[in-house]
Amino acid sequence: MHRLFGLIMTVGALLTAARSHAQTFDPRYPVCMHVYSGANGGGGEWYDCSFTSVPQCRATASGRSASCDLNPYYPFNAPPQRLRHQRGG
């Protein structure tokens, strides 16, 4: 029983210590620009999710090696948040 517990603890520690990746897509914005700067740029590729519309993203991507896509993590169908107002008594 102690060996099983030790094995579970060891595996848990290894999984916890593994590198975690930051979230690529910012869920606050509906449009992301995928920027490619491969071999010549040396910087790889990344996503810039700071756009509120596809035309806004395309204007920024114009002349660059980039494309605009809808953010898969943006809650398009989420119900609107209702604000609660507190009344002073």
Side-chain angles (χ1 to χ4, degrees), residues 11-64:
V11 170
L14 290 173
L15 291 176
T16 303
R19 286 183 68 190
S20 62
H21 296 284
Q23 184 170 345
T24 303
F25 300 96
D26 187 345
R28 296 177 294 169
Y29 296 95
V31 180
C32 297
M33 179 174 60
H34 187 183
V35 181
Y36 311 93
S37 63
N40 293 339
E45 57 185 71
W46 70 91
Y47 287 91
D48 178 5
C49 296
S50 61
F51 300 97
T52 57
S53 69
V54 173
Q56 178 191 28
C57 177
R58 286 185 179 154
T60 305
S62 178
R64 301 172 75 178

